[in-house]
Amino acid sequence: MDKIEIIGGTPLEGRIPIAGAKNACLALMPAAILSDKPLTLMNAPRLSDIQTMGNLLESLGVEVKSLQSGQVITLSAHGPLKHLADYDIVRKMRASILVLGPLLARQGQAVVSQPGGCAIGARPIDLHLYALERLGADWELKGGYVHVTAKDGLKGGVIEFPTVSVGATENAVMAATLAIGTTEIRNAAKEPEISDLAVCLGRMGAVIEGAGTDVIRIRGVTELGGATHPVIPDRIEMGTYMLAAAMTGGNVELAGAKRELVEAFAAKLEEAGAVIEDDGKSLRVRVNPGGLSAVNVVTEPYPGFPTDLQAQMMAALAIADGTSILDEQIFENRFMHVPELTRMGADINTRSGTATVKGVRKLKGAQVMATDLRASVSLVLAGLAAEGTTTVSRVYHLDRGYEQIEKKLSSCGAKIRRIGS
Ligand code: EPZ
């Protein structure tokens, strides 16, 4: 298994291009199931999760072609489609559940392996099933698979989510585009990836309003056409590299970064002492001479502070001046990075969903292990700022969400390399 070795202490200086958003692309690709015409996605990120989604869609009968080493993906669901999403692919990536709504809308039935949990939590799908039920579907769990049918087709209805769910909102929106009548989704997720999906579906002929707000209305149509759609920039990759610049006392330009995608995070980072310049095409990040100071963070659904940047922020606060409190409100077990950061000398105590981080002057390089995507990159960030050498194992977690991370960081002077096993 590959490892990544980092020799810390170099301030990052240079330019990092921001890739397309993994979590936008993982919803846009299944949307191709809704039409028998081709959907072409531009600016797609080159990540293993995208490859996995492509494999899943191909197993369902969708033709998937990628050009320009994966930055352009054309998906065509013109032939007969299977409706079973197999355990072996689904267990690798929870986002596979996003084929459920489109398959049901297009074929009237879907059988998808239950995704199962992952390192950060149980990751149930009850809200996805509730939404599809509200559109007239029946479902049952059998042998680890969820069987969903809508023999008379889907009918528009009111979906009132008790809690905000990004994936359930995406499944509901996609299913509703082909339902008979109008659907109203209340307490909808407002993440930029939802708005991006709605723009793409609109280009395919769907009638959607309110995406990005609490209430989304969809008027069903009889069929959708093809489209070409550019994937929005990845706000989590953006935030990760903004922290890398601030933690190492560097000065980095993030090309293609849009502040409005990370406003709550950017404001919190400025509160901690970072300086963020925005010329409309890129963001440039450095830190005040005094370095970072402690701040308190609460993760919330968008537009609040994103849970996907909590682990990375914790790595920064581990060397900030003062004590910070981080409240993880979205997932029940998203502190897997804490024991590993502690091995590097961080002073962090956790109690249920709250972490108290007492800043230390310097972290020390160590051998650490990645457990999930965002925890693994928080260890890379810690290694960049630490004294000495850090080796991160199980870096396949990293490759799921960060395109060419060593290349992007070493282009800014980081001493980082991948060591094959
Ligand atoms: C999406 O996951 C993202 N993944 C996650 O990013 C992100 O952390 C999460 O949204 C929150 O922003 C993709 O977009 C592919 P949720 P999703 O449904 O849709 C509970 C990363 O690192 N819930 O908004 O699965 C759930 O347990 C990944 O890129 C239910 O109870 O998240 C969680 O506590 C990690 N029942 C909360 O809602 C359900 O049916 C939010 O989950 C669904 C969710």
Side-chain angles (χ1 to χ4, degrees):
M1 253 185 267
D2 284 357
K3 294 184 178 176
I4 280 190
E5 181 191 83
I6 304 149
I7 300 171
T10 310
L12 298 186
E13 315 260 342
R15 179 180 182 278
I16 294 180
I18 296 301
K22 166 179 84 82
N23 290 348
C25 206
L26 289 175
L28 293 166
M29 292 171 75
I33 292 172
L34 294 165
S35 166
D36 60 0
K37 305 286 183 308
L39 171 62
T40 297
L41 299 173
M42 318 295 284
N43 191 37
R46 289 165 285 196
L47 300 167
S48 57
D49 267 10
I50 302 305
Q51 187 62 49
T52 303
M53 181 59 83
N55 297 341
L56 171 60
L57 292 171
E58 278 178 331
S59 75
L60 294 169
V62 178
E63 190 188 288
V64 181
K65 269 193 282 184
S66 73
L67 307 166
Q68 290 174 33
S69 63
Q71 273 205 312
V72 175
I73 305 176
T74 296
L75 307 108
S76 307
H78 50 71
L81 293 177
K82 297 200 191 82
H83 59 268
L84 182 138
D86 194 75
Y87 170 72
D88 272 346
I89 299 185
V90 174
R91 71 181 170 79
K92 281 195 207 117
M93 184 181 65
R94 290 191 70 285
S96 308
I97 197 68
L98 295 174
V99 302
L100 190 62
L103 279 177
L104 186 65
R106 178 80 187 274
Q107 312 239 89
Q109 62 174 334
V111 180
V112 180
S113 164
Q114 281 181 269
C118 69
I120 63 176
R123 311 296 295 275
I125 59 168
D126 56 310
L127 297 175
H128 297 248
L129 298 175
Y130 156 73
L132 298 176
E133 213 172 49
R134 295 294 299 152
L135 299 180
D138 298 306
W139 58 269
E140 62 169 328
L141 304 180
K142 255 185 331 193
Y145 284 77
V146 59
H147 296 243
V148 195
T149 53
K151 34 192 188 311
D152 313 325
L154 295 173
K155 291 179 192 54
V158 174
I159 298 168
E160 180 115 36
F161 283 121
T163 52
V164 171
S165 162
V166 172
T169 300
E170 288 166 339
N171 254 330
V173 167
M174 289 192 278
T177 56
L178 295 179
I180 300 164
T182 301
T183 296
E184 181 167 295
I185 303 172
R186 297 174 188 160
N187 200 21
K190 298 185 271 194
E191 273 67 6
E193 292 74 34
I194 307 269
S195 304
D196 197 38
L197 175 63
V199 168
C200 178
L201 291 167
R203 288 191 167 127
M204 295 166 72
V207 182
I208 304 173
E209 57 175 36
T213 73
D214 298 302
V215 181
I216 303 176
R217 281 188 195 81
I218 302 109
R219 184 156 53 78
V221 295
T222 49
E223 65 174 9
L224 291 180
T228 296
H229 178 78
V231 179
I232 54 169
D234 193 314
R235 59 196 171 97
I236 307 303
E237 185 193 32
M238 224 182 277
T240 302
Y241 290 127
M242 289 166 76
L243 282 163
M247 287 171 72
T248 58
N251 187 326
V252 177
E253 180 197 0
L254 301 172
K258 296 188 182 322
R259 180 172 173 134
E260 69 266 21
L261 294 173
V262 288
E263 184 49 48
F265 164 79
K268 192 51 79 172
L269 194 54
E270 284 172 332
E271 186 190 330
V275 177
I276 303 170
E277 290 160 21
D278 182 355
D279 69 4
K281 291 194 299 297
S282 62
L283 295 179
R284 178 171 285 281
V285 183
R286 57 186 165 79
V287 70
N288 276 324
L292 291 172
S293 337
V295 289
N296 294 333
V297 172
V298 179
T299 63
E300 294 172 307
Y302 194 88
F305 190 103
T307 175
D308 291 351
L309 282 170
Q310 177 260 109
Q312 300 91 312
M313 189 69 177
M314 191 184 288
L317 296 175
I319 53 171
D321 180 18
T323 299
S324 307
I325 310 283
L326 281 103
D327 266 320
E328 171 52 61
Q329 299 203 107
I330 307 292
F331 288 109
E332 63 268 32
N333 184 31
R334 204 166 198 177
F335 286 154
M336 309 283 279
H337 42 289
V338 171
E340 300 306 303
L341 289 171
T342 307
R343 286 173 49 70
M344 298 177 71
D347 181 350
I348 305 170
N349 285 297
T350 59
R351 236 158 65 82
S352 63
T354 301
T356 303
V357 183
K358 285 198 186 79
V360 296
R361 196 186 58 75
K362 271 278 175 204
L363 295 175
K364 300 264 181 308
Q367 291 186 325
V368 289
M369 188 173 74
T371 51
D372 61 270
L373 168 57
R374 307 305 176 181
S376 46
V377 84
S378 81
L379 301 175
V380 172
L381 294 179
L384 291 170
E387 260 162 9
T389 302
T390 299
T391 310
V392 184
S393 62
R394 300 191 179 181
V395 288
Y396 57 86
H397 290 293
L398 262 181
D399 296 334
R400 296 188 51 175
Y402 290 90
E403 188 185 278
Q404 301 180 307
I405 186 163
E406 309 98 274
K407 185 160 167 271
K408 292 188 175 185
L409 288 170
S410 46
S411 75
C412 291
K415 296 188 182 70
I416 179 170
R417 69 190 179 111
R418 188 175 289 246
I419 322 166
S421 44

